[in-house]
C-alpha cells in the first residue's frame, strides 16, 4: 500500500482500515466489533477482541520457533555490564516473575507501580504485569519521593517494584529511601514493596512489607498469559498537565497492540530480526511503546541502554552501541544530539565507529532545531526524520511512512499526518485555519487505535482537557500550522507545559511547589529557551510583605525545594525576586508576555493588562539578572 493511499483509506473508512490492521496481530479472540462511538464523544476499538500483550511480545515468537533470536540487549556503561536475552530466556524470566507476583496476590486489574532504573528486571516486571493482567504504572526514576507519592495515591498500587539504586553517570542514587518516603507521604499504603538489590547498594528492608526480588521467585510456578479484553487497561503512564496533579494516561491492550504493529512496520520500517534502539527510559511513553512493547511484539531485538549520550564514557557512546549491535533504527530526543554536538562538534568520536547498519534516525519529544538537524544529517549521512506525538497518543501522529517507501523530510516540519490521524488547525473560534495559518493543532475524531480514550479514574478530566475545547476534535495543546503540502509544523505548547531535555513538565506544578516556601507570596514560572536542554524553567518571585531574605539564599532554597519535590529533571536553577508581576485585570499572571520579554522577542501588551508600567520594570529586572536573551 502506498502512503497517500493509506492516509486516504484510513480517513474514509476507519473501520475497514483498522480491521485490516487488526488482522496483522494474533488475537485469542478476533474482534468483530471494530469501532464504536460512545455518547460522550470517545470511541472504543475492538470491543469484543481478546488477546494478551505479553503473549504478543514473547510467547508467539517462541511458539513460532524463534526462541533463540535475541530479544533484548542490555548495555550498561555505568556498571560495565552487557547481557543479552533470547526470546526464550526473556519469556522464562517473565513467566517466572509473573508467577511470583501472582503468588504475592497480584492479579488481573491490580495496580503495580514500577520505580526502577534501566535494568532488564524493570522490563521483565512490565511484561510480567501484562502477562497476568495487572496494570503497571512506571514512574521515572528521576522523580523525587513527593512525585512518586502523588502517583501512588492516584494509582493505588497493590505492590511497588523497585531497585536499590539508579546510577546517574558515576553517582549512585539510592531508591529505597525515596520509596519509603513516598509511601510515608502517600495516603494509600501498598501491601508490599518488592526490591531488586543491585550489587552497588543494599537497600534496607522493612520486615513484613518488603520482599526480595529473587526470594519471591523461589519455587513458584511460572504464570500463563491471562486472556484480556482489548479494552482492558495495560498501563497507566503519568504525564504533566497544567496543574500540580499529573494526568494518568490509560492505555488499553488491543488497540495499542494494533497501533504499535502498524507504527513499527510502516513508520520505522523495522522488520522481524531487525535491531531497534529506542534511546529513552522505560519511565516515559517511548520506553513503553518503543523500547518494550513495540519492538518485541514486532519480533525485533531491542536495545536496553543504561547510560547517557555523553560522559558514559564520552560523546561517542551512541555510535559505539550502534556499531556493536548492528543497530538498524534509532529514536532519540534532539536534546541528546545537542549534548553530543557540544562535546564532539567535528564528529571525531563519530568517525571512530562504523554505523553503516543504521537505516535512519528518528527524533521526537521536542523541537528539532535546524543547526542540530544539519549537523546530524551531514555527519551521519543518514536520513534524519522529525516526527511528533504525545504520551496520550502512545504512537506517532505525524511522521514519514518509511515502511511504505516515504522519505520526505522538510526541515522545521514534523512531517504529515500518519494514517488514522486527521490533523487539522483551528482558530480560537473553532473555524478552520487556512494553509500556513497558525492556530491550535487538533485531531478530528475518531482517534485511531492506541490513543488513550480516558484518564485513570478521571474520565471527566479527559473530556474537559481534550474533547471539550473544540467539539468533535481532540485538543493536543500544541500550536502550529499545516502548510499547503500537508506538512505539519509544531511551534510549541499553548498551555503551561514546558519541555526540558525532552521531558514534559508543568510550570503550574513548579509554581505550586515554589509557593510553599514561607517567604513567597506569589510566583510565576516561565520557560526560556536553552541551547542544550531546549527549555529551562525560571521562577519570578514576589516576596510576602515585610519578609527580609537574601535573594541568593532564597534562590538556593527554592532550587533545593523543587529538586526535592519534583526532582533534578526539572532543572529549576534560577529564581529571581521581582517587585511586581504583570497581570490581567482579573488577576491572571501574563506568563506569555514574561516569556517573550525574557526571550527578547517583540510583544504586544494585551488590552486586558492591569498596569502597563510593570512591563518596562520587569524587562529591566530580567535584563540585569542576565536572563533576557539578546
Ligand atoms: P510527551 O507527552 O512527554 O511525549 O510530550 C509531548 C509534547 O512534546 C507535545 O505535545 C509537543 O509539545 C512536544 N513534542 C513532541 N514531539 C515533538 C516534535 N517532534 N517537535 C516539537 N515538539 C514535540
Amino acid at each position: 500500500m502506498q502512503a497517500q493511499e493509506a492516509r486516504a483509506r484510513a480517513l474514509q473508512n476507519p473501520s475497514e482500515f483498522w480491521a485490516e490492521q487488526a488482522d496483522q496481530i494474533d488475537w485469542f479472540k478476533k474482534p468483530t466489533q471494530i469501532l464504536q462511538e460512545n455518547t460522550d464523544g470517545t470511541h472504543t476499538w475492538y470491543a469484543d477482541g481478546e488477546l494478551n500483550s505479553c503473549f504478543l511480545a514473547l510467547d508467539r515468537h517462541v511458539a513460532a520457533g524463534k526462541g533463540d533470536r535475541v530479544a533484548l540487549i542490555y548495555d550498561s556503561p555505568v556498571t560495565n555490564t552487557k547481557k543479552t536475552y533470547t526470546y526464550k530466556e526473556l519469556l522464562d524470566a517473565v513467566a517466572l516473575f509473573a508467577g511470583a507476583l501472582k503468588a504475592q496476590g497480584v492479579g488481573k486489574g491490580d495496580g503495580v507501580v514500577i520505580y526502577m532504573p534501566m535494568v532488564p528486571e524493570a522490563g521483565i516486571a512490565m511484561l510480567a504485569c501484562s502477562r497476568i493482567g495487572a496494570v503497571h504504572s512506571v514512574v521515572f526514576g528521576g522523580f523525587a519521593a513527593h512525585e512518586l507519592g502523588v502517583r501512588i495515591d492516584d494509582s493505588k498500587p497493590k505492590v511497588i517494584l523497585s531497585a536499590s539504586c539508579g546510577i546517574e553517570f558515576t553517582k549512585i542514587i539510592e531508591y529505597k529511601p525515596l520509596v519509603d518516603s513516598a509511601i510515608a507521604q502517600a495516603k494509600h499504603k501498598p501491601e508490599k514493596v518488592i526490591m531488586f538489590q543491585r550489587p552497588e547498594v543494599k537497600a534496607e528492608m522493612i520486615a513484613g512489607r518488603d520482599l526480595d526480588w529473587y526470594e519471591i521467585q523461589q519455587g513458584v510456578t511460572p504464570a500463563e498469559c491471562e486472556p484480556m479484553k482489548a479494552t482492558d487497561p495495560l498501563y497507566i503512564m503519568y504525564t504533566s498537565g497544567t496543574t500540580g496533579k499529573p494526568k494518568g494516561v490509560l492505555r488499553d491492550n488491543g488497540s495499542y497492540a494494533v497501533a504499535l504493529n502498524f507504527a513499527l512496520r510502516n513508520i520505522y520500517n523495522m522488520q522481524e530480526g531487525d535491531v531497534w534502539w529506542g534511546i529513552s527510559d522505560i519511565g516515559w511513553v517511548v520506553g513503553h511503546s518503543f523500547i518494550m512493547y513495540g519492538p518485541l511484539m514486532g519480533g525485533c531485538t531491542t536495545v536496553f541502554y543504561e547510560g547517557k549520550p555523553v560522559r558514559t564514557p564520552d560523546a561517542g557512546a551512541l555510535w559505539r552501541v550502534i556499531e556493536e549491535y548492528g543497530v538498524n533504527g534509532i529514536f532519540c530526543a534532539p536534546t541528546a544530539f545537542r549534548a553530543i554536538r557540544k562535546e564532539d562538534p567535528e564528529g571525531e568520536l563519530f568517525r571512530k565507529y562504523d554505523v553503516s547498519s543504521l537505516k535512519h534516525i528518528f527524533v521526537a519529544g521536542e523541537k528539532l532545531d535546524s543547526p542540530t538537524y544539519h549537523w546530524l544529517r551531514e555527519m551521519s549521512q543518514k536520513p534524519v526524520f522529525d516526527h511528533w506525538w504525545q504520551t496520550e497518543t502512545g504512537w506517532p501522529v505525524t511522521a514519514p511512512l518509511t515502511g511504505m517507501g516515504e522519505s520526505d523530510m522538510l526541515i522545521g516540519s514534523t512531517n504529515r499526518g500518519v494514517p488514522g490521524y486527521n490533523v487539522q488547525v483551528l482558530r480560537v473560534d473553532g473555524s478552520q485555519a487556512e494553509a500556513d495559518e497558525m492556530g491550535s493543532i487538533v485531531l478530528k475524531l475518531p482517534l485511531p487505535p492506541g490513543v488513550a480514550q480516558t484518564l485513570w479514574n478521571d474520565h471527566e478530566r479527559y473530556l474537559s482537557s481534550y474533547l471539550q475545547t473544540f467539539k468533535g476534535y481532540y485538543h493536543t495543546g500544541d500550536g502550529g500550522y499545516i502548510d499547503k503540502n500537508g506538512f505539519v509544523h509544531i511551534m510549541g505548547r499553548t498551555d503551561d507545559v514546558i519541555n526540558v531535555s525532552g521531558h514534559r513538565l508543568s510550570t503550574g506544578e513548579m509554581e505550586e511547589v515554589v509557593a510553599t516556601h514561607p517567604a513567597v507570596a506569589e510566583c510565576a514560572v516561565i520557560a526560556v529557551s536553552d541551547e542544550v536542554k531546549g527549555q529551562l524553567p525560571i521562577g519570578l518571585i514576589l516576596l510576602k510583605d515585610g519578609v527580609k531574605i537574601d535573594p541568593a539564599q532564597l534562590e538556593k532554597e527554592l532550587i533545593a525545594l523543587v529538586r526535592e519535590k519534583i526532582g533534578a529533571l526539572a532543572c529549576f536553577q534560577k529564581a529571581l525576586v521581582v517587585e511586581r508581576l504583570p497581570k490581567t485585570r482579573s488577576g491572571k499572571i501574563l506568563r506569555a508576555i514574561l516569556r517573550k520579554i525574557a526571550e527578547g522577542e517583540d510583544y504586544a501588551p494585551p488590552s486586558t493588562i492591569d498596569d502597563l508600567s510593570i512591563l518596562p520594570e520587569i524587562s529591566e529586572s530580567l535584563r540585569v539578572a542576565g536572563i533576557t536573551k539578546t
Side-chain angles (χ1 to χ4, degrees):
M1 200 177 356
Q2 292 301 304
Q4 278 304 59
E5 184 198 342
R7 286 191 180 95
R9 283 196 50 218
L11 293 190
Q12 273 152 18
N13 195 338
S15 292
E16 188 187 271
F17 184 85
W18 290 109
E20 282 170 23
Q21 297 309 322
D23 277 344
Q24 311 286 318
I25 68 163
D26 282 354
W27 298 83
F28 293 164
K29 182 169 169 266
K30 218 167 151 170
T32 58
Q33 299 167 4
I34 304 302
L35 174 64
Q36 289 166 317
E37 184 174 355
N38 306 314
T39 49
D40 59 10
T42 59
H43 290 78
T44 303
W45 287 99
Y46 311 124
D48 62 344
E50 282 183 22
L51 77 176
N52 181 284
S53 297
C54 179
F55 177 89
L56 293 178
L58 300 175
D59 302 61
R60 82 180 185 95
H61 304 301
V62 176
K66 295 165 190 160
D68 293 334
R69 178 184 294 161
V70 176
L72 188 146
I73 298 169
Y74 170 53
D75 185 293
S76 169
V78 295
T79 57
N80 279 321
T81 313
K82 292 172 187 175
K83 188 173 173 184
T84 60
Y85 290 79
T86 64
Y87 271 94
K88 175 80 176 72
E89 287 165 345
L90 194 57
L91 172 58
D92 289 346
V94 167
L96 191 63
F97 193 69
L101 285 178
K102 260 185 134 171
Q104 294 303 324
V106 180
K108 196 169 179 169
D110 287 333
V112 175
V113 160
I114 301 176
Y115 183 66
M116 295 180 77
M118 281 295 287
V119 288
E121 285 71 14
I124 289 168
M126 290 166 77
L127 292 167
C129 288
S130 60
R131 190 169 189 82
I132 58 173
V135 183
H136 61 70
S137 175
V138 183
V139 178
F140 178 60
F143 276 118
H146 169 77
E147 289 294 309
L148 177 59
V150 167
R151 287 155 176 76
I152 291 171
D153 266 341
D154 196 71
S155 65
K156 303 199 172 30
K158 194 159 197 177
V159 302
I160 295 186
L161 310 179
S162 190
S164 56
C165 69
I167 302 157
E168 281 279 304
F169 301 105
T170 52
K171 198 165 145 211
I172 292 184
I173 319 269
E174 287 196 44
Y175 278 23
K176 188 62 185 348
L178 300 172
V179 172
D180 289 343
S181 160
I183 296 174
Q185 291 177 46
K187 285 191 200 69
H188 172 82
K189 307 292 174 195
E191 286 170 23
K192 284 164 188 151
V193 174
I194 297 167
M195 290 300 297
F196 173 63
Q197 299 278 15
R198 300 190 76 179
E200 291 77 14
V201 167
K202 195 160 166 31
E204 291 278 333
M205 304 290 264
I206 296 177
R209 188 198 71 184
D210 300 349
L211 300 167
D212 178 82
W213 193 274
Y214 286 110
E215 277 171 21
I216 62 159
Q217 299 186 55
Q218 299 294 323
V220 301
T221 311
E224 291 301 325
C225 290
E226 188 73 33
M228 303 295 287
K229 282 203 207 119
T231 50
D232 280 337
L234 173 63
Y235 64 77
I236 305 168
M237 170 94 259
Y238 286 95
T239 189
S240 297
T242 48
T243 66
K245 189 171 180 271
K247 292 169 166 171
V249 171
L250 193 68
R251 193 82 58 209
D252 72 3
N253 276 273
S255 83
Y256 187 50
V258 174
L260 290 183
N261 180 66
F262 182 81
L264 190 78
R265 300 282 187 250
N266 297 296
I267 297 172
Y268 302 119
N269 195 14
M270 287 292 116
Q271 310 306 328
E272 288 217 0
D274 280 346
V275 182
W276 168 260
W277 186 15
I279 310 175
S280 182
D281 186 285
I282 47 144
W284 305 115
V285 69
V286 184
H288 288 59
S289 296
F290 297 111
I291 293 178
M292 294 307 297
Y293 290 108
L296 293 176
M297 286 176 174
C300 297
T301 296
T302 188
V303 178
F304 204 92
Y305 177 68
E306 189 186 19
K308 303 276 183 196
V310 294
R311 291 172 49 209
T312 58
D314 59 29
L318 257 58
W319 319 121
R320 190 269 299 166
V321 171
I322 292 168
E323 176 187 277
E324 195 162 333
Y325 307 113
V327 173
N328 303 116
I330 60 170
F331 175 128
C332 192
T335 188
F337 292 116
R338 289 197 293 267
I340 295 171
R341 180 177 170 220
K342 203 162 165 233
E343 298 201 4
D344 187 27
E346 304 304 326
E348 281 160 30
L349 290 167
F350 171 82
R351 279 191 292 279
K352 279 172 63 179
Y353 302 97
D354 172 6
V355 299
S356 55
S357 58
L358 198 63
K359 286 196 244 190
H360 42 226
I361 298 170
F362 273 85
V363 296
E366 49 163 339
K367 219 169 162 43
L368 171 64
D369 51 288
S370 64
T372 304
Y373 168 80
H374 287 296
W375 170 81
L376 185 59
R377 175 81 183 94
E378 276 150 34
M379 184 182 71
S380 70
Q381 293 294 304
K382 302 287 175 189
V384 176
F385 297 119
D386 191 4
H387 68 322
W388 166 70
W389 49 300
Q390 308 181 308
T391 304
E392 291 86 342
T393 67
W395 64 292
V397 182
T398 68
L401 299 174
T402 68
M404 293 183 179
E406 227 173 38
S407 57
D408 311 31
M409 177 68 209
L410 178 68
I411 303 162
S413 158
T414 63
N415 225 288
R416 282 169 291 193
V418 165
Y421 287 102
N422 188 347
V423 188
Q424 299 190 8
V425 179
L426 298 184
R427 301 186 182 117
V428 182
D429 66 3
S431 60
Q432 296 267 346
E434 306 273 334
D436 294 328
E437 183 185 338
M438 284 275 284
S440 293
I441 310 252
V442 295
L443 308 174
K444 193 168 187 320
L445 304 180
L447 294 163
V451 182
Q453 297 279 347
T454 191
L455 294 176
W456 173 252
N457 253 339
D458 207 348
H459 192 60
E460 278 310 309
R461 190 176 179 197
Y462 178 88
L463 298 176
S464 63
S465 303
Y466 305 110
L467 301 193
Q468 282 167 2
T469 315
F470 299 109
K471 204 171 161 17
Y473 297 88
Y474 167 95
H475 183 226
T476 67
D478 280 323
Y481 64 95
I482 303 179
D483 67 22
K484 51 187 176 309
N485 298 316
F487 281 81
V488 177
H489 300 250
I490 303 291
M491 305 314 286
R493 301 287 303 192
T494 54
D495 53 18
D496 297 328
V497 172
I498 64 169
N499 205 314
V500 180
S501 294
H503 298 155
R504 177 167 154 185
L505 297 161
S506 156
T507 53
E509 190 177 3
M510 287 186 225
E511 285 174 6
E512 281 181 30
V513 171
V514 170
T516 61
H517 190 287
V520 175
E522 208 175 357
C523 69
V525 174
I526 56 165
V528 293
S529 55
D530 179 77
E531 228 175 68
V532 173
K533 294 184 184 294
Q535 288 187 307
L536 277 179
I538 285 181
L540 303 176
I541 314 295
L542 276 186
L543 291 181
K544 282 185 184 153
D545 282 351
V547 166
K548 296 223 171 337
I549 185 166
D550 171 23
Q553 177 58 26
L554 176 67
E555 183 176 53
K556 233 166 97 187
E557 288 174 20
L558 293 176
I559 292 169
L561 195 61
V562 175
R563 186 178 251 270
E564 182 208 322
K565 295 284 183 197
I566 298 179
L569 82 170
C571 290
F572 183 87
Q573 283 149 6
K574 199 134 200 79
L576 179 70
V577 174
V578 294
E579 294 290 320
R580 300 184 294 168
L581 286 166
K583 290 187 181 173
T584 61
R585 277 187 281 277
S586 61
K588 223 173 165 291
I589 298 173
L590 291 160
R591 293 179 181 76
I593 289 232
L594 286 170
R595 194 190 56 73
K596 284 191 173 156
I597 295 175
E599 294 287 3
E601 290 172 14
D602 291 339
Y603 59 88
S607 55
T608 50
I609 192 164
D610 183 36
D611 182 353
L612 264 176
S613 69
I614 291 183
L615 296 179
E617 175 186 310
I618 204 119
S619 212
E620 182 60 10
S621 304
L622 288 166
R623 192 190 60 75
V624 171
I627 293 171
T628 309
K629 299 263 162 25
T630 43

